[in-house]
Amino acid sequence: MALELKDLTEVMEAGSARGVPSPDLLDGVRRRVRRGNRLRAGAAAFGVVLVAGSAFGIVQQDGNARGRHALGPAPTMTGVVNQDFPESAGRDGMQPLKEVRFSTLRAKGRFTVTPTGPFMGVALRCSGDFMVYKEVKPGVFDGGGCSKGSPDDSATSVSKVTPGVPITIEVVAVPLQDSSEQGPNTLSSMADVNRYLGSHGPMSGNWSVRVYSGQCNSDACTKSIHPPTQSKRLPVAGLKRLARVTGTADGSSRTVPLKEPGKSMRMRVTCVDGAAVAVARIGGRTKVVDCESAESMGIVWDQEVEGGTNGIEIAVLPAEAGKVHGTVDAALAKLMKGVKPAGKWTLEVYAH
């Protein structure tokens, strides 16, 4: 029988008050314990239900908390450094500096490099069709496509740097085929990436980031450091989408049907991995869009069509096709003569 401290205390205090110790203190203690057990047993018959309910509520709350965080961003990956990369060929006049390999999509990777020259170039290699976003310092964010089976690295993004000063790069790769409203094409900052990762669990996928540094001697430096800018990026979040289509930049025209007739629309064209110029024909009007300049962010504009339209015609050409002067099909076909299709593009149409 378990004895509680309060039972012993009561017996000892009672004995002390009488001035003469009880001949058998243990019997008194046992009687008090039995009385206490009877009282507690009666209360337990009623209270056990309340205790069980409380315990269940705690378990449920904890379970819900785990569910809320089950798809939170995975821990930052350090990746695996390719020790042989510094011995490989240079790029755009810059020398190979570091290659870091990753095996997980939808998870942030982070690594640090120390530039050896005034320019730093970053290129990608992927085992599938991914979008890769990176931030080389707070606020300097960009993204680009990375295609499976590409014979060489993706186009290098170049930035001006200070030699000898370490730079920490954050990178994230996500599946290109994810086409939801909150998918890869809507990400325009690392804050957007964090929200995306919070609702999409990590998955397997091999990809790597290659970093070069030195004196850049190609046009890629000028385009990357001083890219054409869009004065105002029009939002598409919350708008009803009328159409979405993707394709390869091969210069051929295709008609994109709308879910319902459109009169006032917001258009977005995104070009990655070598797709460069889009020719859009909307309600009898033609617009030439330099979609390569915005890369994964996309070019967005508003389009009014008097009387409305049920479809939009679009053709996209790769960078190798050169500057577009004529926009009729024959002129586009002439530009594509001897040019291989390259790159991927996406057209989205929203009611506005």
Side-chain angles (χ1 to χ4, degrees), residues 83-272:
Q83 301 296 338
D84 296 329
F85 180 66
E87 305 302 323
S88 61
R91 191 179 179 98
D92 298 325
M94 298 175 288
Q95 297 304 307
L97 184 61
K98 190 174 189 177
E99 179 182 25
V100 182
R101 295 170 174 172
F102 301 99
S103 59
T104 303
L105 305 177
R106 297 173 178 164
K108 275 188 182 181
R110 181 185 290 124
F111 61 92
T112 300
V113 295
T114 301
T116 56
F119 293 92
M120 183 179 74
V122 179
L124 311 168
R125 291 182 70 85
C126 299
S127 63
D129 294 335
F130 308 146
M131 289 288 290
V132 180
Y133 297 94
K134 62 183 180 295
E135 188 173 71
V136 297
K137 57 184 177 180
V140 182
F141 175 89
D142 67 0
C146 185
S147 296
K148 177 181 179 180
S150 176
D152 198 359
D153 305 58
S154 65
T156 308
S157 62
V158 183
S159 56
K160 189 82 172 175
V161 294
T162 302
V165 177
I167 294 176
T168 297
I169 302 175
E170 281 195 335
V171 288
V172 177
V174 299
L176 186 64
Q177 69 268 20
D178 195 330
S179 59
S180 67
E181 288 291 338
Q182 296 301 319
N185 287 333
T186 68
L187 308 182
S188 58
S189 68
M190 195 53 76
D192 288 343
V193 169
N194 290 335
R195 286 191 288 270
Y196 175 81
L197 297 182
S199 59
H200 294 73
M203 61 183 293
S204 298
N206 296 316
W207 55 287
S208 70
V209 181
R210 292 182 164 188
V211 182
Y212 302 81
S213 186
Q215 182 64 52
C216 185
N217 61 8
S218 74
D219 292 340
C221 299
T222 303
K223 291 181 180 179
S224 297
I225 297 172
H226 304 290
T229 58
Q230 190 173 347
S231 59
K232 182 180 179 182
R233 189 169 298 282
L234 303 174
V236 297
L239 300 181
K240 182 178 182 180
R241 192 164 65 188
L242 303 180
R244 184 183 188 279
V245 64
T246 62
T248 301
D250 57 6
S252 60
S253 297
R254 61 187 297 181
T255 300
V256 180
L258 304 182
K259 293 181 180 178
E260 60 185 54
K263 184 175 181 181
S264 179
M265 297 171 290
R266 180 160 291 176
M267 322 283 294
R268 178 165 66 182
V269 176
T270 304
C271 294
V272 297

Side-chain angles (χ1 to χ4, degrees), residues 249 269 271 274-279 288-292 315-319 322-324:
V269 176
C271 294
V277 180
V279 178
V288 179
V289 181
D290 179 17
C291 52
E292 183 183 36
V316 182
L317 292 82
K323 189 174 182 60
V324 175

Side-chain angles (χ1 to χ4, degrees), residues 273-286:
D273 208 22
V277 180
V279 178
R281 304 185 184 106
I282 311 161
R285 299 180 180 180
T286 301

